[in-house]
Amino acid sequence: MYPLSRRELLQKSGLGFGSMALTYLLDSQSLLGAEPALSEPGHDLKPRPSQFQAQAKAVIQLMQNGGPSQMDLFDPKPELQKRDGQRHIEKVEMFQPGSEANQLMASPFEFRHYGKCGMELSEEIPHIGSIADDICLVRSMYTEHNNHTEALVMFHTCKIFPGRPTLGAWISYGLGTENQSLPAYIVLRDPEGYNTSGNLLWENGWLPALYRGTEFATKERRC
């Protein structure tokens, strides 16, 4: 039995997993003799400069599946208020039982102007109204699809069909991350289970799997 060096111990113990960690540490300090293929630009999570000067250090996206309608929160519809209770002639594809009557329904909530900008928001979200001058509200985006599953996929990828990189994957691919100890794209899903479209909402699509969202537990797990 001869004494092992630290490098030999890492190579031979734990089925070689220790050598993988050693390789990463050496590569991060540019101590390897040759650059591995995965260290080519665009195939790592090292921070990359943006085209314009950055104004933010992180992106936090909140997605409430099945939340209140935008017409009850931040998208007032004056014409809909006028036509409350009327029936419309055009047939609209419905998914909810009892909605075949084609009857228009106005929002039951009052909208008010908030901040110096005069942003119209529902009385149900007065706290958001208190920061109206500090946020950006975009009302120009829309979709003609009315089913939850496809709508969620479109919200994250701009298309109703799965298989495209999600917003978080694109951000990770384009900018990388300054924190090399954690994944660049972290997902905190509902601890009670997956949403309607499951992990399609943090897919990497055709990008390398490195840019796929990594799920973190949002509540304590006991063995």
Side-chain angles (χ1 to χ4, degrees), residues 10 23 54 57 72 116 119 184:
L10 289 172
T23 301
K57 294 184 178 180
D72 290 335
K116 295 180 180 179
M119 184 181 295

Side-chain angles (χ1 to χ4, degrees), residues 5-220:
S5 67
R6 286 179 294 179
R7 181 170 298 188
E8 290 174 329
L9 178 65
L10 289 172
Q11 289 175 339
K12 296 181 178 181
S13 62
L15 299 177
F17 279 101
S19 62
M20 296 173 62
L22 175 62
T23 301
Y24 170 79
L25 293 174
L26 291 175
D27 178 49
S28 65
Q29 300 178 35
S30 301
L31 296 178
L32 285 180
E35 288 284 334
L38 290 180
S39 292
E40 297 176 359
H43 292 81
D44 57 51
L45 292 176
K46 295 178 180 178
R48 289 181 277 278
S50 59
Q51 184 177 0
F52 304 99
Q53 184 177 0
Q55 298 294 321
K57 294 184 178 180
V59 177
I60 300 176
Q61 180 181 356
L62 304 178
M63 183 65 193
Q64 282 75 44
N65 182 15
S69 167
Q70 75 276 9
M71 293 182 289
D72 290 335
L73 297 180
F74 48 79
D75 195 10
K77 301 292 184 182
E79 189 65 25
L80 182 60
Q81 298 298 121
K82 296 177 183 179
R83 298 180 180 273
D84 183 33
Q86 295 183 14
R87 297 179 183 274
H88 55 88
I89 301 176
E90 295 183 10
K91 178 64 178 177
V92 179
E93 185 179 13
M94 301 293 182
F95 294 94
Q96 301 296 330
S99 58
E100 298 84 2
N102 283 6
Q103 189 172 6
L104 299 175
M105 178 180 175
S107 174
F109 305 112
E110 180 182 349
F111 279 74
R112 301 170 183 170
H113 295 275
Y114 290 90
K116 295 180 180 179
C117 63
M119 184 181 295
E120 285 188 89
L121 297 171
S122 169
E123 60 184 345
E124 292 297 292
I125 49 176
H127 297 296
I128 296 181
S130 66
I131 58 171
D133 293 328
D134 300 318
I135 61 176
C136 176
L137 177 60
V138 180
R139 292 196 179 111
S140 58
M141 294 186 293
Y142 70 95
T143 174
E144 296 178 353
H145 201 81
N146 61 347
N147 196 22
H148 277 81
T149 302
E150 291 81 2
L152 287 168
V153 174
M154 184 172 187
F155 186 91
H156 289 82
T157 69
C158 298
K159 296 290 183 181
I160 64 173
F161 301 107
R164 297 173 62 88
T166 53
L167 176 61
W170 278 123
I171 293 176
S172 303
Y173 172 78
L175 299 178
T177 175
E178 294 183 356
N179 188 340
Q180 297 298 301
S181 300
L182 291 172
Y185 184 10
I186 293 176
V187 177
L188 300 176
R189 64 171 177 84
D190 189 335
E192 300 301 325
Y194 286 92
N195 49 49
T196 302
S197 299
N199 55 20
L200 290 176
L201 305 187
W202 50 87
E203 278 283 0
N204 54 289
W206 58 73
L207 294 177
L210 180 65
Y211 306 109
R212 173 188 171 90
T214 301
E215 293 185 45
F216 275 33
T218 53
K219 67 178 180 180
E220 182 182 3

